[in-house]
Amino acid sequence: MNPNDANFRKPLEAALHHALTYLEKGDDGDSIAATATLAELRAKLDLPLPDGGVDATTVVDELVAGVDGGLLRSRGGRFFAWVIGGSLPASLAADWMTSVWDQNAGLYCTSPAAAVVEETAGAWLKELLQVPREASFALVTGCQMAHVTCLVAARHGLLAAKGWDVVGEGLAGSPQIRVLTSGEVHSSTMRAVRLLGLGEKHVAKLGVDAQGRLLQSELERELVSAARAPTLVVLQAGDLHMGAYDDFRTLIPLAKRYGAWVHIDGAFGLWAAASARHRHRMDGAELADSWSTDGHKWLNTPYDCGYAFVRDAKVHRDSLALRASYVTMSDAARDEMDWNPEWSRRARGFATYAAIRELGRDGIEALIDRCCEHAHGIVMGVGALDGAEVVWEPTINQGMLRFFDPAAGASDGDHDVYTERVIAEILRSGEAFFSGSTWRGRKVMRVSVCGWQTSAEDVAKVVACVAEILKRRA
Ligand SMILES: *Cc1c(COP(=O)(O)O)cnc(C)c1O
């Protein structure tokens, strides 16, 4: 018995107690927005570097007290900003165990169980998301790094096809890869382009139709204009304003005729594949070369969970795998390091495995359908109020609203300011949380429903809350 075993009991029991207090309070307790100011948080948390250590339980207790008022209740049922999910109970518990076990999930030999769980989770994900069975995968920190992982493989594959070995030669002097995508591209793709040295100038953001879908004519024109250039086409499964899905069935075969590598950003939208009602939006997506998505958004795993998939497993592995004299690789099992950009890494497979087991195929489908229904309910419910307008009626789980300044002769600019004020008032009420955006030149309030806890009752409460605010301001 480790003489320090007892040292774990008190801080962990304190953590369990704090956790349950926090989780069981629900959304009617604290404000959903943070209430503490920056100065207040610094006053509590910005302590001098301690010379001596502090008792572990005290550290936990004081941390919990210190962050009070500075947390967003984004894990709950009335948080609709950005694209943020909660954590399912089994997944959260598995995430705790991940920290307890403290495995380095880099190699089979550093954690055999983590490697096997990850292997299973990857197979389940491919089945749920309709990614081809032969595709390889990596569990990474989020969709941003999933893009990086997929695009490392794309860069390697595209340049190898031109007789250029990017692993050995690097990029200097290589054929220039161009990136074709739509104007609705998420900026995480641009950062992947930076990290990979592809150059933002070599990204063409092409026009979209009224539904936010990349125009075939634009893509075709660009492909024809440099038919032999190594080309990466980045398509979108669910953008964060309209939830737009590109027309994969048409665009992917077109891009392939020019030898392009097609990558799909489906940070949340890939999950439509898990729903019979919404699956048609993914029609043709299985033809792509790589896909990235998140666990920590719509699957509702805790943070630090994204997934990359690459159709050509060999290209994926060749672009990332390393050998070192002190590292023992396994022939029969999965060595995660072969597929990931990290070396030492968190055993992310446990939380994903637990989330999928907790919900099952049916539960995941119900979660997707429920979020879409609730997004629709909020947008149409609030949009029907006096002084509100539906800007985008959700087709999946993303929609947009706008509010009108009631002052006589108010301009579009006034409505912009007013929309931001209404958002701020909703946050101040503590009842719900939305974020704003500028879409096609106008300020909007985005409605994004990803959390497993959002219920019809939450939808009704949100509509009532906004109605109250608009009435007061009218
Ligand atoms: C959130 C998001 C990303 C980035 O994902 P992270 O998990 O935050 O790294 C990329 N694309 C889209 C469409 C997103 O919504």
Side-chain angles (χ1 to χ4, degrees):
M1 187 70 146
N2 181 337
N4 290 327
D5 270 2
N7 293 349
F8 285 109
R9 182 166 296 276
K10 277 174 68 189
L12 287 181
E13 281 179 353
L16 176 63
H17 167 77
H18 291 304
L20 292 176
T21 305
Y22 184 77
L23 294 171
E24 289 172 351
K25 199 183 266 178
D27 290 335
D28 291 322
D30 286 344
S31 165
I32 293 171
T35 50
T37 64
L38 174 62
E40 284 166 354
L41 290 171
R42 282 191 178 143
K44 287 193 292 180
L45 296 165
D46 187 7
L47 309 173
L49 172 65
D51 288 327
V54 178
D55 164 68
T57 308
T58 306
V59 171
V60 173
D61 289 343
E62 291 187 356
L63 180 64
V64 169
V67 302
D68 190 42
L71 303 175
L72 274 62
R73 293 190 76 84
S74 51
R75 60 176 327 289
R78 290 203 296 281
F79 190 92
F80 310 110
W82 306 294
V83 186
I84 286 185
S87 320
L88 290 156
S91 191
L92 171 58
D95 195 57
W96 283 12
M97 294 313 296
T98 305
S99 295
V100 168
W101 293 325
D102 196 20
Q103 300 293 284
N104 182 345
L107 295 164
Y108 177 74
C109 75
T110 57
S111 181
V116 171
V117 165
E118 185 165 312
E119 191 171 59
T120 304
W124 286 349
L125 288 167
K126 285 190 276 178
E127 214 175 316
L128 283 164
L129 301 172
Q130 297 185 356
V131 166
R133 195 179 290 262
E134 75 265 23
S136 50
F137 68 91
L139 270 58
V140 291
T141 50
C143 195
Q144 169 71 78
M145 286 310 290
H147 289 339
V148 169
T149 305
C150 289
L151 298 196
V152 166
R155 186 179 69 170
H156 186 69
L158 285 169
L159 291 179
K162 295 286 171 194
W164 185 271
D165 167 26
V166 71
V167 170
E169 300 291 335
L171 279 177
S174 74
Q176 178 65 50
I177 294 175
R178 62 178 175 156
V179 183
L180 306 179
T181 187
S182 88
E184 307 292 350
V185 66
H186 190 271
S187 41
S188 54
T189 289
M190 302 307 287
R191 187 148 60 178
V193 161
R194 286 190 196 181
L195 288 169
L196 294 172
L198 301 180
E200 289 192 2
K201 273 198 201 157
H202 300 281
V203 180
K205 295 184 183 173
L206 307 174
V208 297
D209 66 12
Q211 319 299 314
R213 293 173 301 201
L214 174 57
L215 287 168
Q216 183 189 347
S217 57
E218 296 237 344
L219 181 62
E220 190 151 22
R221 188 195 64 217
E222 288 296 318
L223 287 166
V224 170
S225 77
R228 302 174 62 78
T231 303
L232 170 65
V233 173
V234 178
L235 301 179
Q236 183 96 15
D239 88 298
L240 53 71
H241 288 110
M242 293 165 281
Y245 286 72
D246 286 322
D247 177 0
F248 306 121
R249 181 66 65 199
T250 308
L251 300 184
I252 297 178
L254 170 64
K256 295 274 186 166
R257 280 204 291 283
Y258 292 86
W261 178 294
V262 180
H263 174 68
I264 297 181
D265 175 0
F268 57 91
L270 223 55
W271 290 90
S275 153
R277 207 181 294 169
H278 296 284
R279 189 169 296 149
H280 63 278
R281 302 184 194 288
M282 289 285 291
D283 181 45
E286 71 282 0
L287 303 172
D289 297 292
S290 57
W291 303 259
S292 41
T293 190
D294 270 316
H296 55 218
K297 288 180 177 174
W298 224 348
L299 182 59
N300 283 258
T301 67
Y303 268 96
D304 195 297
C305 199
Y307 313 123
F309 305 92
V310 179
R311 175 188 299 280
D312 188 333
K314 182 175 184 313
V315 169
H316 182 183
R317 190 182 200 138
D318 287 350
S319 69
L320 280 168
L322 293 159
R323 294 294 176 264
S325 59
Y326 71 97
V327 165
T328 314
M329 307 298 288
S330 162
D331 291 330
R334 177 180 176 82
D335 285 312
E336 296 93 322
M337 207 170 79
D338 278 353
W339 313 100
N340 272 75
E342 305 105 330
W343 196 278
S344 301
R345 63 189 275 276
R346 184 171 181 79
R348 302 189 181 98
F350 294 130
T352 296
Y353 183 90
I356 297 174
R357 279 207 73 202
E358 182 173 5
L359 293 180
R361 209 191 275 275
D362 294 345
I364 293 173
E365 177 168 30
L367 166 68
I368 301 308
D369 289 350
R370 191 166 74 236
C371 288
C372 295
E373 273 168 39
H374 292 330
H376 196 262
I378 294 171
V379 170
M380 301 319 276
V382 172
L385 299 171
D386 255 358
E389 178 193 36
V390 174
V391 175
W392 188 260
E393 177 177 349
T395 54
I396 55 163
N397 63 338
Q398 306 291 312
M400 287 179 277
L401 289 159
R402 180 169 162 86
F403 301 101
F404 294 117
D405 186 337
S411 67
D412 255 356
D414 296 329
H415 300 320
D416 282 350
V417 173
Y418 190 79
T419 297
E420 291 193 318
R421 277 208 197 115
V422 172
I423 297 172
E425 278 200 40
I426 297 171
L427 266 52
R428 223 171 5 253
S429 78
E431 286 274 309
F433 197 115
F434 294 91
S435 57
S437 186
T438 302
W439 187 71
R440 301 196 171 160
R442 296 189 307 167
K443 287 275 184 252
V444 294
M445 181 172 93
R446 289 187 49 241
V447 177
S448 166
V449 184
C450 280
W452 68 280
Q453 299 204 69
T454 299
S455 65
E457 196 189 340
D458 288 317
V459 173
K461 278 187 182 162
V462 169
V463 175
C465 160
V466 181
E468 178 64 34
I469 287 168
L470 293 180
K471 200 158 72 193
R472 208 175 332 126
R473 295 196 64 103

